[in-house]
Amino acid sequence: MRLHPPIAIVLAVVLSASALLFAWPGSGARAGGDAAHGRALAGTRCAACHGADGAGGAPSVPRLAGQDADYLYRQLQAFGDGARASPVMDAVAAGLSERQRRDVAAFFAARSRHAAAGPEDALVDEGRVLFLAGGDDGRVPACADCHDAGKGGFAGGMRGMHGMAGMPMMGLPARHAPRLFGQHAAYVEQRLQGFTDGTPEALRMSAMAASMSLQQKRAVAAYVASRP
Ligand code: HEC
Ligand code: HEC
């Protein structure tokens, strides 16, 4: 399902308006940010849409909790300088200083995602095969080559020589690939449908997304969303 952006925003605000308390204290010094400073910022500027601890929100608003701090920071940079387009996030990110981007990234990265395992069905099964082994025709690579390595997804076996977690793939260090497990399926599908991020990393991801069928996108989105 794709929500019209303004509707999605209103929904997000309404759904998470009551989520005013933070989950628990924690410090995340990754990406050089100060999570304690990030917490205050997150409460006033991000919580309405992403949830106070980054775990909530409408299906089209990504979960930020437990996401890689460096990835979060780079996305804020991309929104801020126009490399990644979003009518909502461009303005939000433009209003943050360099320091604030690092702090808020550190805060959300240190939260727990709290995702529960979702139901298994044929679509999830199809997505699992694609995620772990790639497409039959060799056009779509195994997502596990870069994403969620070591989180029970897999780290190198099924594709044998084609990829190993932590090894540079196509010139990309795998550690920069964002976490997909526990993400909203609708957001993952939406992102695969339209990569607008102009970073070199995302250009490669765009090429991969372009070679996926709609059915494959749906399946892999259902699979990652079903993973805790
Ligand atoms: C009005 C709602 C709203 C507010 C407020 C908001 N966001 Fe977002 N955010 C979104 C939406 C919607 C997206 C998805 C954008 C897209 O891909 O088109 C998003 C995407 C993101 C992403 C990309 C995540 C990913 O997985 O790629 C990051 C990072 C992010 N937001 C951080 C923040 C931070 C930090 C704040 C507070 C300083 C914030 N957002 C405030 C709605 C919001
Ligand atoms: C060669 C490594 C690599 C492979 C293989 C790969 N990705 Fe990615 N992916 C990345 C990187 C790096 C990014 C972050 C791009 C950026 O920095 O903007 C990314 C970003 C994404 C995002 C955006 C996440 C978010 O939070 O917004 C999605 C969704 C995604 N990939 C899905 C997939 C799927 C599905 C597959 C398998 C069909 C796959 N990727 C295969 C490296 C990879």
Side-chain angles (χ1 to χ4, degrees):
M1 177 182 66
R2 270 191 95 170
L3 293 174
H4 192 251
I7 297 176
I9 292 160
V10 170
L11 256 180
V13 172
V14 170
L15 286 175
S16 43
S18 59
L20 292 171
L21 294 175
F22 295 118
W24 64 76
S27 70
R30 297 163 67 198
D34 180 330
H37 287 155
R39 165 191 299 275
L41 207 59
T44 53
R45 303 220 207 153
C46 323
C49 296
H50 291 281
D53 60 1
S60 59
V61 182
R63 294 187 205 272
L64 305 179
Q67 186 55 279
D68 181 78
D70 181 62
Y71 172 75
L72 292 175
Y73 168 73
R74 282 186 304 107
Q75 297 312 298
L76 291 172
Q77 295 292 79
F79 287 127
D81 67 19
R84 177 173 172 182
S86 159
V88 178
M89 280 308 301
D90 292 0
V92 173
L96 299 175
S97 70
E98 169 77 16
R99 184 82 246 154
Q100 288 175 319
R101 289 174 186 168
R102 289 187 191 279
D103 291 348
V104 82
F107 171 74
F108 282 122
R111 303 301 95 197
S112 170
R113 187 161 279 197
H114 290 309
E120 302 263 327
D121 58 20
L123 193 63
V124 168
D125 280 345
E126 185 185 337
R128 177 185 295 111
V129 172
L130 190 65
F131 189 92
L132 297 178
D136 278 345
D137 57 5
R139 288 184 349 124
V140 182
C143 320
D145 281 349
C146 299
H147 291 281
D148 297 271
K151 293 205 174 71
F154 144 78
M158 291 181 77
R159 286 278 283 195
M161 304 159 60
H162 290 280
M164 299 227 323
M167 295 285 285
M169 283 288 302
M170 297 156 67
L172 291 175
R175 67 189 164 84
H176 284 326
R179 172 179 175 176
L180 300 180
F181 284 178
Q183 187 54 277
H184 293 305
Y187 170 74
V188 172
E189 193 184 325
Q190 172 186 304
R191 197 75 163 99
L192 288 171
Q193 277 298 93
F195 260 93
T196 53
D197 188 332
T199 63
E201 292 94 335
L203 286 179
R204 291 192 170 97
M205 197 54 241
S206 301
M208 286 184 255
S211 62
M212 295 173 76
S213 68
L214 187 55
Q215 172 68 16
Q216 286 177 316
K217 288 171 184 163
R218 286 210 173 113
V220 84
Y223 170 66
V224 295
S226 80
R227 299 282 307 172

